[in-house]
Amino acid sequence: MPFFYRLGGAIHPLTENGYQASTLLVAYFAAVNARSQLDALWPMVEALTVCRRAGAELRDALNMTDQWIKPNDKGEQPDFNAPLPPFFGWQASQITTKATAFETVLTAELQGLPTYHATRKGIYSMPELIDNAAAIFPEAMRRKLTPAVIEEWDHCGRCLAFDNATASGFHSMRAVELVLHDYYVTICGPGNTEKLANWGAYIAALYKVGEGPPPNPDVKRVTALLQQIKDHDRNMISHPEITLEPDDALVLFEIAQGAIMAMAEGLPTR
């Protein structure tokens, strides 16, 4: 993870004996850099608990460096290119001690921290698939989808990323069902808000609109797609004895994506 590389690059120089022999400016900016990286650690990795106390002690020591660049009682600016004065040098040695303790504890805790590696799925970016799968839909189209659909699709992407294939298939079909109801209400009129018993009922109602009169080619196209998904994909995933392989889930992910986008074209912007 790049962050831990940067954190180590900021903390480790403080652990070296030569730190307190640095010039004031070099020592000060090293402390500022380490403090900023340290502040970013806790919100990013909440699971780290053992090293928090050592981290807090190091941060307290780093805070002492703020006085290094202040004018003295006579208003004179310090010589930034000179070595640290004795008292500041003593404070720098305390930073070295605290940084060494923190680095040791952090290293030990990271060795026991659960980590995961998600293998690439098709052309999809793993961070996006895990954290924001709904970004696969154009922004204008996302504004037509309910929060429940977005949440369901994000679950689908996360399960796909971590090879929970059957769960991903379930969430993809669930997302299609939610959009299907909204599409049905839009196409068949606001008086048809009650949820129907199954996909077959929705498809039958949409089929009538597609056939007309007058015929509606767009609805006919969407109805034919939904019928295919119902017969070949949705019915399969509804059986508890059926389990999907990762490749199956990826195919279903893309099929569901196409169905949602086809229906979303006929939905109003929310």
Side-chain angles (χ1 to χ4, degrees):
M1 187 175 184
F3 169 75
F4 285 106
Y5 179 84
R6 294 193 298 270
L7 177 66
I11 298 294
H12 189 69
L14 306 181
T15 68
E16 299 175 346
N17 291 330
Y19 174 65
Q20 51 264 41
S22 304
T23 64
L24 188 152
L25 189 64
V26 170
Y28 172 73
F29 278 110
V32 170
N33 184 32
R35 185 168 58 188
S36 66
Q37 295 295 329
L38 193 61
D39 286 345
L41 176 62
W42 312 126
M44 185 174 294
V45 191
E46 296 180 356
L48 291 173
T49 56
V50 178
C51 64
R52 281 180 182 267
R53 180 174 179 179
E57 292 179 356
L58 172 58
R59 198 185 190 291
D60 289 341
L62 293 171
N63 285 338
M64 295 187 300
T65 61
D66 289 340
Q67 62 182 299
W68 294 2
I69 60 172
K70 292 181 179 179
N72 60 21
D73 294 339
K74 298 179 181 179
E76 299 171 338
Q77 293 289 342
D79 185 353
F80 295 114
N81 295 316
L84 288 169
F87 181 67
F88 291 170
W90 175 83
Q91 290 181 331
S93 69
Q94 294 299 302
I95 290 174
T96 296
T97 300
K98 301 296 185 183
T100 301
F102 171 71
E103 189 178 63
T104 301
V105 178
L106 175 64
T107 300
E109 188 169 4
L110 285 176
Q111 291 177 352
L113 192 69
T115 56
Y116 306 91
H117 173 69
T119 57
R120 187 177 181 86
K121 301 296 183 296
I123 63 172
Y124 300 109
S125 160
M126 286 299 99
E128 288 293 330
L129 206 55
I130 293 169
D131 296 326
N132 188 22
I136 198 171
F137 300 113
E139 183 179 351
M141 194 166 286
R142 289 200 301 273
R143 291 199 295 267
K144 298 182 176 185
L145 305 177
T146 64
V149 174
I150 298 298
E151 181 180 9
E152 206 69 53
W153 194 257
D154 284 342
H155 286 318
C156 171
R158 195 170 298 116
C159 290
L160 179 65
F162 288 115
D163 290 329
N164 294 322
T166 303
S168 175
F170 172 82
H171 286 297
S172 66
M173 292 296 97
R174 179 81 179 112
V176 173
E177 286 184 12
L178 292 172
V179 181
L180 173 56
H181 177 73
D182 292 339
Y183 184 72
Y184 161 74
V185 172
T186 301
I187 297 301
C188 296
N192 300 277
T193 57
E194 293 293 326
K195 289 190 175 182
L196 303 185
N198 50 50
W199 279 44
Y202 281 109
I203 291 172
L206 293 171
Y207 180 81
K208 291 180 181 179
V209 176
E211 290 297 319
N216 189 321
D218 291 334
V219 175
K220 287 181 67 174
R221 175 175 57 88
V222 171
T223 303
L225 177 60
L226 292 170
Q227 184 69 56
Q228 184 177 15
I229 295 174
K230 171 186 173 296
D231 293 342
H232 298 284
D233 301 297
R234 197 272 177 185
N235 287 348
M236 178 184 69
I237 199 67
S238 65
H239 294 293
E241 68 273 12
I242 297 294
T243 58
L244 299 181
E245 295 297 324
D247 287 348
D248 299 328
L250 177 59
V251 171
L252 199 54
F253 179 84
E254 295 184 333
I255 289 173
Q257 175 195 349
I260 289 173
M261 294 178 71
M263 289 186 288
E265 290 180 359
L267 295 178
T269 299
R270 295 183 177 275

